[in-house]
Amino acid sequence: MRPLGLLGGTFDPVHYGHLRLAEEAREALDLDEVRWIPAGRPPHRQAPRVAASHRLEMVRQAVAGNPAFTVDDAETASGEPSYTVATLERLRAEQGARPLLLLMGADAFLGLAAWHRWRDLFALAHIGVATRPGVELSPADLPAELAAACAGRLDDAPDALKTAPAGRVVRFAMTPLAISASLLRARLAAGRSARYLLPDPVREYIDRQQLYRN
């Protein structure tokens, strides 16, 4: 059974860096689908700049042309704090023994030990870590607590994801794109162009709704 990729985040706003991560993970790891999960109320960071309903719609606009991308609105609809472990528990109950793959960038992975009930994540899903070309992200590069939790889990073979529902950590190289949501918010707040940094439907939605303006 091909894995179901899961990409969560605030997407404030969604941009080409998010889209390339999802597309390159789908291709490199032979994912059946990538499900986008916009956070409603992220508990460990400053509140998103715009409402969950806007961020959800921007993601829908961004992924509309890719049949391998779907959107899960459960976190934005719940009104509760958005904990990854709770979302994975819901999806595990929904998907049964299907392999689940939680996608994230290397920086997020290095901070995993600060997440709520982070050790439980390995029992619920595999983790796919996007790295820059030439960056191995070996155990020596990880904080001690995370390295211990990942002992015996690191694997770069996509087929390893199909042998169990959860538990592996697979690295894949991603094309580096120096785009960030904070950069986009700053440009938009200053009235500067965001063209070619995010999809046109998202940019047009931001303009219509007058989002991120000072």
Side-chain angles (χ1 to χ4, degrees), residues 60-203:
R60 285 177 169 155
Q61 295 280 339
V63 308
N66 191 327
F69 291 170
T70 58
V71 181
D72 184 322
D73 67 355
E75 287 191 9
T76 57
S78 74
E80 298 296 323
S82 301
Y83 289 108
T84 299
V85 66
T87 293
L88 290 180
E89 287 172 337
R90 171 178 63 84
L91 291 171
R92 175 54 63 204
E94 171 191 306
Q95 297 291 327
R98 183 183 188 182
L100 301 179
L101 179 67
L102 179 63
L103 298 170
M104 64 182 70
D107 290 344
F109 182 68
L110 290 171
L112 193 68
W115 292 28
H116 178 62
R117 290 174 53 200
W118 67 277
R119 288 186 176 85
D120 293 341
L121 300 177
F122 298 106
L124 295 166
H126 303 295
I127 298 178
V129 184
T131 65
R132 296 182 300 279
V135 176
E136 295 184 1
L137 203 68
S138 66
D141 300 319
L142 306 180
E145 192 175 19
L146 181 59
C150 291
R153 299 186 186 277
L154 289 170
D155 199 320
D156 292 327
D159 286 347
L161 302 174
K162 302 174 185 177
T163 62
R168 310 300 293 175
V169 177
V170 178
R171 299 156 292 194
F172 65 98
M174 177 187 164
T175 303
L177 296 175
I179 306 173
S180 70
S182 59
L183 165 72
L184 283 167
R185 291 194 299 270
R187 291 188 68 87
L188 291 165
R192 300 173 66 190
S193 170
R195 190 185 294 270
Y196 311 125
L197 295 172
L198 39 67
D200 283 344
V202 176
R203 180 177 55 82

Side-chain angles (χ1 to χ4, degrees), residues 26-90:
R26 182 198 62 77
E27 185 176 54
L29 304 178
D30 191 29
L31 304 181
D32 182 51
E33 170 193 336
V34 176
R35 186 173 297 185
W36 294 64
I37 311 173
R41 290 176 52 201
H44 296 312
R45 55 177 295 170
Q46 186 177 2
R49 177 71 181 272
V50 304
S53 60
H54 286 308
R55 293 183 288 105
L56 175 65
E57 181 58 28
M58 286 189 286
V59 170
R60 285 177 169 155
Q61 295 280 339
V63 308
N66 191 327
F69 291 170
T70 58
V71 181
D72 184 322
D73 67 355
E75 287 191 9
T76 57
S78 74
E80 298 296 323
S82 301
Y83 289 108
T84 299
V85 66
T87 293
L88 290 180
E89 287 172 337
R90 171 178 63 84

